Amino acid sequence: MAAPIRVAIAGAGGRMGQMLVESTLASPTSFVLTAALEMAGAPLLGRDAGAAIGRTTGVLIADDIEAAIRQSEVLIDFTRPEGTMRHARCCAEHHCALVVGTTGFSEANKAELAQLAQHAPMVVAANMSVGVNVLLKLVRLAAQRLSGYDIEVVEIHHKHKVDAPSGTALALGEAAAEGAGVKLADAAVYAREGQCGERQPGTIGFATLRGGDVVGEHTVLFCGEGERVELTHRAGSRRNFAVGALRAAQFVAARRAEGSGGIYTMEDVLGLR
């Protein structure tokens, strides 16, 4: 039997980080938690990574990125762009694979990640959910077949989410644009207010809602004359994101072991290409 994959988790004190810790501990034959990271000054520094879920792991939440990465095969990062970029640079230096669920990267960030990935393979996805990644495939197909239909992307998340539209909504927009044979940068409409005129053919609209504790809901509407097709994903728990992230960790650990670099997506992980 192969040894468990050594996993470090960034943002270990947050909601997603705690779910990743719990899911990693729930699969002891496949994964072992080697490190848990938080930013300097975080209140949970020095606490056991499993304390919030009633587990004693012996792994203390720390802010030493290099120490965490040196002892790990894969870092899973669902934090913010500035933190993820620091982690990615360290992963490239020490040839540690990386699973990135962070959203909100700039074009410069994306270009740098592509360079760093030559030294440390990465899975980068706006959403690690298996269901969402199947939805992306369906949206692309629908946009190919429903020529001339108006496309709208609607999403709702909890009130604490800081970026809008969500990374998943943007990925759905990209899938729709690809299927329709257009560039999202040319077709996207991110806001409508006042006397904005009629909807322009070929555009892809976005609507963003924030409130309460909604984990995440996304709907892509294809609106035609006399009919409407809606493709929806609703997340009731962060567990599905953690399950997908661990599948990605297995995938990218194998790429690291064979000496492969590059950026991969959940389509690669799930064999959807």
Side-chain angles (χ1 to χ4, degrees), residues 139-140 143-144 151 153 171-182 204 220 222:
V139 166
R140 193 175 295 113
Q144 289 173 348
I151 303 172
V153 182
L172 290 165
E174 290 281 5
E178 184 180 333
V182 299
I204 297 174
V220 182
F222 296 86

Side-chain angles (χ1 to χ4, degrees), residues 107-128:
E107 291 304 315
N109 290 155
K110 293 175 184 177
E112 185 179 356
L113 285 175
Q115 292 179 336
L116 295 171
Q118 301 310 308
H119 306 282
M122 303 179 190
V123 171
V124 180
N127 195 307
M128 297 285 172

